[in-house]
């Protein structure tokens, strides 16, 4: 059944997101080149977290999982920065995205217990990830990023009609939930 997007977008706003929009799985392109960029390891998280490649699953596995859904919602936090060096503002927006994402995940799970979350960045739930020596400590709360799943975030935003770039001195963080 098609989700009630008016209610979902209102819920996203209550959770603290600045933007939210319907997302259709048919528009998601899982790209090997995005995973190749992960393997370059600019962020230092490749092969260092259960939430990141290669541990988070192959591109084929993740796209097959997503193919089990038809619709979901895109959620985004937009931070206003004093200037492009406003590190505090960047960190604040990232923290808001993480908090809002967890809040919304909890609320959505009541209605969509089988949802597929895709967040932003590597999992930060533990100070030090247990990978690879021990199993993930919170497998039900850990989420991989949209990029780790092979998605180009700007492309997904564009498909959903949500700006990826909100103009000078802003930063946007994006995630999504596949619901049905
Ligand atoms: S919950 Fe902890 S162990 Fe699991 S991926 Fe996140 S940081 Fe690693």
């Amino acid at each position: 059944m098609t989700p009630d997007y008016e209610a979902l977008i209102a819920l996203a706003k209550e959770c603290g997101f600045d933007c939210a929009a319907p997302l259709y799985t048919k528009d998601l392109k899982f790209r090997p080149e995005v995973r190749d960029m992960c393997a370059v390891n600019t962020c230092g998280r490749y092969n260092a977290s259960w939430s990141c490649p290669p541990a988070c699953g192959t591109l084929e596995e993740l796209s097959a999982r997503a193919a089990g859904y038809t619709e979901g919602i895109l959620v985004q936090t937009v931070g206003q920065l004093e200037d492009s060096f406003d590190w505090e503002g960047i960190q604040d927006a990232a923290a808001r995205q993480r908090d809002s994402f967890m809040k919304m995940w909890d609320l959505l799970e009541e209605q969509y217990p089988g949802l597929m979350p895709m967040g932003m960045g590597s999992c930060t739930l533990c100070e030090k990830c247990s990978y690879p020596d021990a199993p993930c400590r919170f497998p039900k709360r850990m989420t991989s990023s949209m990029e780790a799943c092979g998605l180009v975030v700007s492309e997904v935003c564009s498909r959903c009609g949500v700006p990826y770039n909100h103009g000078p001195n802003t930063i946007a963080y994006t995630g999504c939930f596949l619901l049905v």
Side-chain angles (χ1 to χ4, degrees):
M1 197 170 75
T2 298
D4 177 348
Y5 282 114
E6 201 177 319
L8 281 175
I9 290 168
L11 183 69
K13 297 285 168 73
E14 277 169 34
C15 289
F17 291 110
D18 297 301
C19 302
L23 177 156
Y24 299 96
T25 312
K26 66 177 172 44
D27 292 332
L28 299 179
K29 306 283 177 240
F30 293 83
R31 300 190 180 281
E33 56 269 32
V34 179
R35 297 279 297 217
D36 292 345
M37 275 157 45
C38 284
V40 172
N41 202 18
T42 316
C43 67
R45 300 299 288 170
Y46 183 80
N47 205 22
S49 165
W50 290 112
S51 68
C52 292
C56 65
T58 65
L59 188 73
E60 291 72 24
E61 287 165 346
L62 292 160
S63 60
R65 186 178 167 200
Y69 303 81
T70 54
E71 294 180 47
I73 185 162
L74 186 91
V75 286
Q76 188 185 66
T77 299
V78 183
Q80 301 294 328
L81 308 177
E82 284 176 16
D83 53 47
S84 50
F85 302 102
D86 181 5
W87 181 241
E88 209 174 295
I90 292 170
Q91 295 291 91
D92 177 65
R96 282 201 294 120
Q97 173 75 5
R98 286 202 174 91
D99 287 352
S100 304
F101 197 84
M102 286 303 189
K103 245 184 243 170
M104 187 142 175
W105 188 351
D106 280 340
L107 295 170
L108 285 174
E109 259 191 337
E110 294 168 12
Q111 212 181 334
Y112 305 100
L115 64 79
M116 179 176 176
M118 288 181 271
M120 62 123 199
S122 190
C123 177
T124 56
L125 288 179
C126 308
E127 203 170 310
K128 184 174 181 338
C129 187
S130 61
Y131 180 86
D133 304 316
C136 173
R137 296 183 190 97
F138 305 106
K140 291 192 176 150
R141 299 302 282 160
M142 177 271 276
T143 182
S144 297
S145 68
M146 292 174 71
E147 292 94 336
C149 295
L151 297 171
V152 177
V153 177
S154 57
E155 184 177 80
V156 180
C157 286
S158 163
R159 288 284 190 162
C160 294
V162 169
Y164 174 70
N165 185 338
H166 289 258
N169 297 332
T170 65
I171 185 147
Y173 289 106
T174 307
C176 64
F177 298 94
L178 300 185
L179 301 174
V180 293

